[in-house]
Amino acid sequence: MRARMRGCLIGAIVAGGLFVLVVAVLMRVSGTAPPYRKPAETPAAPRAEVIEEKRLDARRLELTLRSPALEGTTKVRLLLPERWDSRTGWPVLWLLHGGLDDHTSWTARTDVGALTRGDGLMVVMPDGGGCGSYSDWWNGGAGGPPRWETYHLRELLPLLESRYRAGKERVIAGYSMGGQGAMLYAAKGGFKAAASFSGAVHILGPGVPQAVMAGTTIGCPGTDWKRVWGDPDAQRAIWRAHNPYDQAGKLRGVRLYVAAGGGDLVEDLAARAARAFAGRLRELGIPVTTHFYRGGHNHTFWQRELRHAYPMLKRALS
């Protein structure tokens, strides 16, 4: 039952970055230029604040952050490479969790620690909320928190580079809700490869909006599910902006892996979305490696798929 509830959160991810441009215009007055005035400084964007560092063992480092984008605290777990403090610029593997899970799920329920040991890369496992969908929520058009995409890409990512020795060579993977997030974040740029395991990679496919509704209700009790992206008909453009299927053209040049199983209600839904997404990529002439199999919506298969995708992800970092 828990696997089914988690699968209902096959939700999705990513919305864009915001840039501010200030243009100074000099005007002539009576044929002479005005005296020089120092341009007004653009206020710095708010930054996430580290409020706790906790070393769990030789490789696991857990951070507690205060995020302006979330207007609250959140956590991220890191798997550090050996001799981490000997250099900067470590290549990075981001792993995103699914609905009802959190930043501990990958290390608690898979062998990612053993898989990556000795490979000279940092693994980043951020919290994405029980029903966060790796998105900046619409909130009835008002915006505001939670802004998960802004937190991950505009606050956490630069913090890891400036303070925790992460480099700019990055790949990303995720399961269920995190599979959608992985593809959406990769479509924003900055990731050389992306993998989705049982992900919601076509959120406008048959039955998926209803799964998002159910998943939000289960993962965040009392939360109106339309806060995430609005109504799938009335706010169609917002849904499409968060739908990997509709954003597929932005994945050109990214190495891609898409996997899904079949045999239970949730995984059958994920498989239909994955097949549609892979078909769309191929229509656009974008290469993708796929793996379709018999298996349910759970960590047994997500661990296996990470092992299948890992050689490709690692090659993309070299």
Side-chain angles (χ1 to χ4, degrees):
M1 174 63 73
R2 182 175 174 82
R4 291 190 179 185
M5 291 193 297
R6 181 179 299 112
C8 288
L9 280 162
I10 299 177
I13 150 197
V14 109
L18 201 58
F19 296 88
V20 177
L21 178 64
V22 178
V23 180
V25 180
L26 296 178
M27 301 180 61
R28 293 175 176 245
V29 179
S30 300
T32 60
Y36 172 78
R37 293 179 181 176
K38 183 179 179 180
E41 295 183 0
T42 302
R47 296 182 178 182
E49 176 189 0
V50 180
I51 58 178
E52 183 182 27
E53 295 181 355
K54 188 175 182 180
R55 197 68 176 256
L56 303 178
D57 55 33
R59 292 189 64 201
R60 290 182 303 159
L61 175 64
E62 188 160 292
L63 309 177
T64 303
L65 309 178
R66 182 175 290 111
S67 163
L70 302 178
E71 293 189 2
T73 60
T74 186
K75 292 180 182 289
V76 56
R77 179 166 289 187
L78 308 179
L79 276 176
L80 304 177
E82 294 177 5
R83 302 182 64 246
W84 165 70
D85 56 359
S86 67
R87 52 165 281 195
T88 60
W90 291 101
V92 181
L93 166 63
W94 282 58
L95 293 178
L96 306 183
H97 67 78
L100 298 182
D101 283 344
D102 60 24
H103 67 291
T104 68
S105 298
W106 278 104
T107 53
R109 306 185 71 178
T110 78
D111 64 351
V112 63
L115 177 65
T116 60
R117 185 177 294 118
D119 283 346
L121 56 81
M122 179 188 299
V123 183
V124 175
M125 296 159 287
D127 187 31
C131 61
S133 293
Y134 297 96
S135 299
D136 289 359
W137 284 21
W138 181 65
N139 285 326
R147 294 182 294 154
W148 288 104
E149 179 198 332
T150 295
Y151 160 62
H152 289 138
L153 300 184
R154 303 291 172 186
E155 294 178 358
L156 177 59
L157 189 152
L159 174 70
L160 295 174
E161 293 179 357
S162 65
R163 183 163 171 175
Y164 293 96
R165 302 176 179 271
K168 297 184 180 297
E169 300 290 304
R170 309 177 205 99
V171 296
I172 189 166
Y175 64 83
S176 196
M177 181 180 80
Q180 180 196 18
M183 291 299 165
L184 286 177
Y185 285 4
K188 291 292 179 182
F191 293 91
K192 301 179 73 173
S196 168
F197 315 135
S198 309
V201 287
H202 189 6
I203 60 171
L204 287 169
V208 183
Q210 291 77 15
V212 173
M213 175 183 66
T216 304
T217 302
I218 295 168
C220 299
T223 299
D224 181 356
W225 66 279
K226 292 181 181 177
R227 284 183 59 196
V228 184
W229 304 308
D231 181 89
D233 293 320
Q235 281 75 47
R236 193 75 165 187
I238 297 173
W239 279 69
R240 292 186 66 184
H242 293 87
N243 188 9
Y245 180 93
D246 287 305
Q247 302 302 312
K250 297 178 182 178
L251 291 166
R252 196 175 305 277
V254 180
R255 300 185 189 184
L256 301 172
Y257 182 94
V258 175
D264 64 46
L265 179 63
V266 171
E267 195 63 16
D268 288 346
L269 188 64
R272 287 196 296 271
R275 290 182 186 277
F277 177 58
R280 179 59 181 154
L281 289 168
R282 289 174 175 138
E283 287 176 1
L284 295 170
I286 298 174
V288 57
T289 299
T290 59
H291 184 214
F292 297 104
Y293 55 89
R294 294 293 296 174
H297 201 74
N298 60 65
H299 284 84
T300 297
F301 296 99
W302 299 329
Q303 170 173 295
R304 189 186 69 182
E305 292 310 310
L306 176 61
R307 284 190 165 272
H308 286 171
Y310 187 60
M312 179 274 286
L313 295 168
K314 194 163 60 169
R315 283 194 301 272
L317 290 170
S318 59

